[in-house]
Every structure is written in C-alpha cells, then in structure tokens.
Amino acid sequence: MFTYTFQWRQAWQKIPLLLDGALVTLEIALLSMAMGVAFAVILAVARNSKSRWIYAPATVWVEVARNTPALFQIYMAHFGLGSFGIHLSPYIALLAGITFNNAGYLAETFRGALRAIPGTQLRAARSLGMPQTQAFRLVIMPQMFRIAFLPTTNQMVWAILMTSLGVTVGMNTDLAGVTQDINVRSFRTFEIFALAAVIYYLIAKAVTLGARLLARRMFRY
Amino acid sequence: MIEIKDVYKSFGTLEVLKGINLTVEKGEVVSVIGGSGSGKSTLLTCINGLEPINSGSILVDGVEVHAKTTDLNKLRRKIGIVFQQFNAFPHLTVLENVTLAPRKVLGMSKPEAEAIAEKQLAHVGLGDKLAVYPGRLSGGQQQRMAIARALAMSPEYVLFDEVTSALDPQLVGEVLDTLKLLADDGMTMICVTHEMTFARDVSDRVAFFHKGIMAEIAPSKEFFNAPQHPETQKFLSNIRS
Ligand SMILES: Nc1ncnc2c1ncn2[C@@H]1O[C@H](COP(=O)(O)OP(=O)(O)O)[C@@H](O)[C@H]1O
Ligand SMILES: [Mg+2]
C-alpha cells in the first residue's frame, strides 16, 4: 500500500541548512583536488624514476587508489589508521581519503597527457637553447595542462560526489551529513534526499559548465 | 666553422655513424643526401649535442660539443636546427612561437623580440599570420614558421633535416625558396635533403651517406656530373630513373 504523503514544506524549510552543508562539501572537494593535483604531479614524476624505492610506493598508491572502492579508502583513513592509534576527525579522514583517491586518478591522467605530447616538442625546445626545466615549463606543461584539463574537471565532479561517503565515518557537516541528520530527526526521507540530490546535481553541473567556459577562454588553439 | 672528426655513434648495438669526417667553413652550404637510415639525421642531432657520440669529436667554432664542460644551452643559441616534422608549439601563436626563445633564452624584451620575429616572419612570407595558431597553418607555412623561429635566434649555423619531406609536393617550392634566400645571404648551412635540384643549384658541396659512412663528398657540379663512388652512382641513377 502506498501511504507515504509528501510534505515538501517541511523539507523546504531546511534548505538553508542544506546549503550550509553544500559549502562544506565544496570546500572538501576543492581542498582534496588542490592537494590531489600536487600529489599527482609528484606521483607522475615518481613513477618515471629509476629507483624502485621511489617508483614502487608511487605505483602502489596509484594502483590502490584506482582499484579499490573509495569508501574503503575513507574507512582506512578513519578506522584503519585508528587501529594504529592515529585518530583523524571525520573531516580530516574524509579529506585524506578523497585526496588519496584524486591523486591516484590524476597521476594517471597526467602521465597519459605527458605521453600524448610528441618527444620532438622537447627536442625542438632544447634545440632553441632552453634548459630542460625551462623547456618543460614553457613548452611541455602548457600542452599537458590542456590535455589533462577536462579529465581533471571530471575528477572534481567525482570528488564532490565522493564527499557523501563521509557519513559512514561520522561526518555530519557536509551536504550528505546534514541531509542524514535532518532525515533521522524528521523522517521526511524522500523529500530531503531528493532536495539534496538536486543540490548535488546543480553543483556538479555548474562545475562542468564552468570548466567548459574556462577551457574555451584559456585554450584558443 | 664546424669540424667533425672521426665520429662514431651507436644506438645500443646498432652502429649508425662509422667514422664521419667533415669540415664546414663559414658561409658554406653543404647538402647531405643518402638512403633512409644512413645516419643523416643522427649526424645533425650530434652536431647540436642533442645526441651524445661514442668517439671522435665535433667542434663548433673550436668548442667541443660533447666535452663535459661545454654549456650546450649556450652553444645551441648559435646552431639553429629545423626538423622534418615542423615541431610548431601548438599552444602559442605564430608570433609567440618565434619570440619565445629570444625572450626566454636570450632575455630580450617583448618589443625587441617581436620586432625581430616580425621581420623574420615577413621574410618567410608569414607577415599576415602573426596572431594565428599553428594548427591553422598549412604544412608549408608551419615549416616556414619553424625556419623563422630558428633564425630569430640569429644563429651562425643552421641545420636542415629534410625540411620538405613531410610537405605536399605543391608546398615544397615555397620552403626551398626560403632556404635559397638564406643561402644567398651567406648563412652557413648543412641541408639533409632529397631535393637533388636544390642540392645541385644551391649548395657548394654535396655529401653522400651510405650505411653510416660518408662515401663521397665533392663540389656540387662535380658530384652530380661525375660521381665517383659506385653507391653514389647507384643512388643517383635510381633517383633519375
Ligand atoms: N633514438 C634512436 N634510437 C634508436 N635507433 C635510432 C634512433 N634514431 C635513429 N635510430 C636508427 O639509426 C639509424 C639512422 O637513423 P637516421 O639518422 O634517422 O637516418 P636517416 O636520417 O639517414 O634516415 C636508423 O637505423 C634508425 O632506425
Ligand atoms: Mg632522417
């Protein structure tokens, strides 16, 4: 029997709370992406190293990040490290877990982008008298950045959605956490989750669209 | 002056240059011809130090290219090289392609570099393409841009590696005309080429490479009228037939 009666008004009143949560979600996603990009560059370089003490850990990181559930990665940051006496707050554990995941995926994105640039570009730059680092900075990196840009924004969307896994480690200030809190107190499950879903959708769409506009302005070739 | 003395070079176990000797004087134009895989490109990349050598020596104005103490970045400023694949930097406009190295390597100001670049680009017939990205250019235009890019560094030597081989036949002429102008200006050039007419009419001497050995080198008229080495004769008759 279908006995559930919608009560949108009650859910509607929670929108300010949900939007506060959305800000926290966005904050975690942005921070995890900034750190993820930084680690990914290091990982991408490390995986080209000749020393196994450098490339092996980097490879393990990338493999685990890409081939295990993100949920486990966040669990590990919270409960796993907790078993060793390292206690991360839900916020930090969530941030660490997503950063770990982002870095793994982005490292592969950057490596692929680097491979897509013909080696002759570097030779041409070096032939003009540029030192290696300058050739990389002026000729290789800008091209790599362009190739990696859209995959990187996809990862940003993915990071936003992954933050919702934080509820499983007790995160209660982000959009998913706030939603769950309201849910257990009001039992307006459908309405509140539907609203939250719409907010996730809008954020994700805004990021994708914004990235596309940005790309059009930045990459005119 | 470029002095190549008994240069040997291998990639792994593959011996690509087997004792090359060649001296190119200031103002001279030397064309290098020969079958594919005979080591012509490798020689050029050894001259500007992109590739190491196994033994022998290469001196540019008396500076040994492969000596540990040689500042290759500095040496390369006076040795321009243009490749078969134009290697335009796709993220930069035509003007930016040409000003990049003068600004970042030579430390020129932007207006200074742009003045030089505009002059070089006008010289190769690209004066109206300054703000265009290379992706919008034809192969011949991209190659002429690459030539302007090399020349904007005011090199004393320019090495050309089959710069017309990747071009559609109707675009070859415009690039060869550019090279001819440069030769007439007195530039010192080594041109690896398959264009026999160009080699005969523009170069002072022509060298023939065969399997890592410079089988023959002679003044261009002599080279084409009376080739001495049997492999040269075979190569030339194959081309003519
Ligand atoms: N980077 C490289 N690594 C290994 N082998 C190479 C490399 N570059 C060229 N070779 C080999 O060296 C030989 C000479 O090549 P190359 O100098 O390009 O000849 P050419 O320009 O006369 O056609 C060829 O057999 C080629 O396959
Ligand atoms: Mg070649």
Side-chain angles (χ1 to χ4, degrees):
Chain A
M1 259 298 274
F2 185 76
T3 55
Y4 192 86
T5 41
F6 293 111
Q7 294 186 15
W8 287 104
R9 177 190 293 270
Q10 199 185 344
W12 207 248
Q13 285 164 350
K14 305 292 187 193
I15 280 199
L17 280 179
L18 292 176
L19 289 180
D20 284 347
L23 276 184
V24 176
T25 288
L26 210 51
E27 176 184 293
I28 296 175
L30 282 172
L31 283 175
S32 73
M33 280 302 285
M35 292 192 291
V37 167
F39 280 119
V41 171
I42 296 170
L43 288 177
V45 173
R47 293 193 74 192
N48 281 329
S49 167
K50 286 189 187 77
S51 158
R52 86 171 50 187
W53 296 104
I54 297 176
Y55 78 67
T59 303
V60 169
W61 181 329
V62 171
E63 287 292 317
V64 172
R66 288 163 51 88
N67 297 298
T68 65
L71 177 67
F72 290 10
Q73 296 165 21
I74 295 161
Y75 251 62
M76 275 297 182
H78 191 63
F79 301 115
L81 292 180
S83 319
F84 296 103
I86 304 168
H87 297 286
L88 302 183
S89 69
Y91 182 96
I92 297 296
L94 179 61
L95 185 57
I98 299 177
T99 299
F100 177 83
N101 186 280
N102 285 343
Y105 275 94
L106 292 173
E108 280 301 87
T109 300
F110 293 166
R111 206 161 75 128
L114 214 46
R115 285 224 185 121
I117 302 165
T120 49
Q121 287 281 309
L122 187 61
R123 283 168 89 86
R126 297 301 309 272
S127 296
L128 289 165
M130 291 183 208
Q132 180 89 356
T133 48
Q134 193 181 44
F136 252 90
R137 191 163 49 80
L138 298 174
V139 175
I140 306 300
M141 294 298 265
Q143 296 184 58
M144 180 183 111
F145 186 59
R146 179 192 172 149
I147 299 169
F149 187 77
L150 282 182
T152 301
T153 61
N154 287 344
Q155 185 67 27
M156 172 71 187
V157 169
W158 188 228
I160 290 166
L161 302 183
M162 272 193 292
T163 57
S164 65
L165 297 171
V167 287
T168 62
V169 295
M171 182 76 191
N172 58 8
T173 51
D174 71 319
L175 180 51
V178 170
T179 307
Q180 175 65 356
D181 261 9
I182 299 170
N183 175 45
V184 296
R185 274 185 276 120
S186 68
F187 297 106
R188 303 315 310 165
T189 305
F190 181 86
E191 293 89 330
I192 203 74
F193 274 93
L195 269 185
V198 168
I199 295 175
Y200 273 115
Y201 180 88
L202 291 177
I203 297 174
K205 271 294 167 198
V207 167
T208 311
L209 273 176
R212 251 189 232 147
L213 289 178
L214 198 62
R216 209 172 295 165
R217 297 208 70 182
M218 279 193 306
F219 311 121
R220 263 171 290 174
Y221 60 97
Chain B
M1 187 165 66
I2 298 176
E3 297 162 273
I4 300 164
K5 295 178 187 164
D6 207 24
V7 165
Y8 284 79
K9 157 82 187 167
S10 308
F11 290 108
T13 55
L14 178 71
E15 202 167 44
V16 176
L17 298 177
K18 305 169 188 168
I20 301 295
N21 287 284
L22 172 66
T23 299
V24 179
E25 301 286 343
K26 260 291 165 65
E28 208 184 1
V29 177
V30 174
S31 284
V32 177
I33 65 175
S36 146
S38 58
K40 308 179 298 294
S41 299
T42 304
L43 181 70
L44 295 192
T45 49
C46 288
I47 292 174
N48 83 347
L50 276 179
E51 289 289 350
I53 59 177
N54 294 58
S55 66
S57 66
I58 299 177
L59 283 81
V60 175
D61 295 338
V63 175
E64 191 166 347
V65 177
H66 296 92
K68 281 204 178 69
T69 49
T70 299
D71 182 350
L72 276 178
N73 295 322
K74 201 171 161 211
L75 188 69
R76 285 178 187 140
R77 293 176 195 174
K78 64 172 166 190
I79 310 172
I81 183 163
V82 183
F83 299 94
Q84 179 176 349
Q85 303 303 336
F86 332 117
N87 298 334
F89 302 142
H91 60 299
L92 301 176
T93 63
V94 167
L95 185 64
E96 288 164 347
N97 259 275
V98 180
T99 56
L100 184 69
R103 289 180 63 194
K104 304 295 178 176
V105 175
L106 301 180
M108 279 187 200
S109 71
K110 197 175 170 196
E112 207 181 346
E114 285 182 346
I116 290 173
E118 284 171 23
K119 188 176 133 236
Q120 291 296 348
L121 285 165
H123 204 61
V124 298
L126 291 176
D128 57 342
K129 302 282 186 202
L130 302 182
V132 172
Y133 285 91
R136 298 272 164 83
L137 299 180
S138 73
Q141 289 171 327
Q142 288 193 46
Q143 192 58 295
R144 284 185 279 140
M145 185 200 80
I147 294 171
R149 188 170 73 182
L151 295 181
M153 293 294 282
S154 312
E156 293 173 36
Y157 306 92
V158 189
L159 317 175
F160 295 94
D161 190 3
E162 296 194 32
V163 293
T164 58
S165 293
L167 298 178
D168 293 334
Q170 71 270 23
L171 299 177
V172 168
E174 64 189 48
V175 173
L176 290 183
D177 288 346
T178 305
L179 295 199
K180 189 164 185 314
L181 280 177
L182 197 57
D184 292 344
D185 278 354
M187 178 61 81
T188 312
M189 298 159 56
I190 301 179
C191 308
V192 173
T193 185
H194 284 307
E195 300 294 331
M196 294 305 140
T197 316
F198 173 85
R200 189 186 57 217
D201 297 346
V202 178
S203 40
D204 301 298
R205 286 188 294 159
V206 180
F208 175 70
F209 269 54
H210 180 68
K211 295 185 176 164
I213 289 168
M214 198 167 74
E216 180 161 0
I217 181 161
S220 55
K221 298 277 173 314
E222 243 170 78
F223 181 93
F224 285 101
N225 292 339
Q228 301 297 309
H229 198 283
E231 289 295 342
T232 317
Q233 294 163 356
K234 212 160 89 186
F235 185 81
L236 290 178
S237 69
N238 278 342
I239 282 178
R240 277 166 193 154
S241 61

